[in-house]
Each structure stands twice: as structure tokens, then as C-alpha cells.
Amino acid sequence: MATVDVDFENFGKTIEENDVVLVDFWAAWCGPCRMFGPIYEEASNRHEDVVFAKVDTEAEQQLAVAAQIQSIPTLMAFREGIAVFRHSGVLQGEALDDIIRQIKELDMDEVRKQIQQADGEGAEGN
């Protein structure tokens, strides 16, 4: 599977309609982004059941701000519409494959339970 470009308009839909979505926030002027790009593209060919999205932070500044991107490249991962991973900096292919494996193995019922507990604790402190 090739990577797909996403923008502010289709970002939410992409995350909601796919089980596992990785999002690479990048810019053309960014040297580390140019290093990570081919690694990300190769991984997309190995994991055809995962959506590999790309966001050009120069063209999609509103989306980059909404995602609180402070350095690039930043990789975010979503599973069942929930953000489950975030990393800034270059990842090598083996590390990226390992992260994808871990995301696929997540017990999403447990993740949702932890989110509910965290939300409940936050509400109690108000």
C-alpha cells in the first residue's frame, strides 16, 4: 500500500474509518523528514492492512496546530480512532515495524477502560 496524503478536511474521516492509521507529519525542507520518508514508504508496502497517511505541515498548518506538532518528523498512530502512539524524530524500519506490531496487538477494551479511568480522575479533581 502506498502512503496517502491527508488534510484538515479528511483527517478525522481517515482515522475513524480505518482500524490502524499511522500519520507522518513532515515538511519538504526538513532533513530528518526526508530521511524518514523512504523508511515510512517501505513500511507501507510491508503492512498493507495499515493506512500510512502523510501531512505536509507547511500546507496543512491548521492541522499541525490542532495535532500539537512542535517538531518534525512526528509520527502519530491511531487504533480504532484512538491516538495510541506519538514519536518525534526518525525511526528506523525495524523499530517502525515493531511499533506497528505492538499497536496491532493492543487490547483496545483495556485502552478504552484506561481512558475512562483517566477521564474520571480528571473530573474528580475539578
Side-chain angles (χ1 to χ4, degrees):
M1 171 181 232
T3 59
V4 295
D5 292 326
V6 294
D7 58 24
F8 192 80
E9 298 298 318
N10 65 5
F11 183 82
K13 182 178 178 180
T14 301
I15 290 167
E16 291 168 11
E17 293 182 355
N18 296 282
D19 185 45
V20 178
V21 179
L22 299 182
V23 184
D24 174 23
F25 289 85
W26 67 283
W29 54 261
C30 167
C33 298
R34 289 193 307 270
M35 288 175 28
F36 182 60
I39 295 166
Y40 191 68
E41 188 76 35
E42 289 171 14
S44 76
N45 294 325
R46 289 191 300 273
H47 301 277
E48 295 186 6
D49 57 335
V50 174
V51 173
F52 285 76
K54 294 181 71 73
V55 175
D56 179 347
T57 58
E58 290 295 306
E60 295 296 331
Q61 292 181 9
Q62 185 179 6
L63 180 52
V65 169
Q68 300 179 345
I69 303 302
Q70 296 181 356
S71 63
I72 52 175
T74 291
L75 178 69
M76 293 180 71
F78 297 84
R79 171 101 187 269
E80 297 180 11
I82 299 171
V84 295
F85 179 81
R86 181 183 187 112
H87 173 82
S88 295
V90 176
L91 289 167
Q92 296 304 316
E94 289 180 11
L96 183 54
D97 287 340
D98 186 51
I99 290 163
I100 293 167
R101 178 191 55 77
Q102 290 180 53
I103 291 166
K104 289 178 181 178
E105 292 175 355
L106 282 173
D107 178 343
M108 292 308 293
D109 290 333
E110 182 62 29
V111 170
R112 281 186 281 280
K113 180 179 171 186
Q114 290 175 5
I115 291 170
Q116 281 184 325
Q117 289 174 343
D119 287 349
E121 291 171 8
E124 292 172 10
N126 290 335

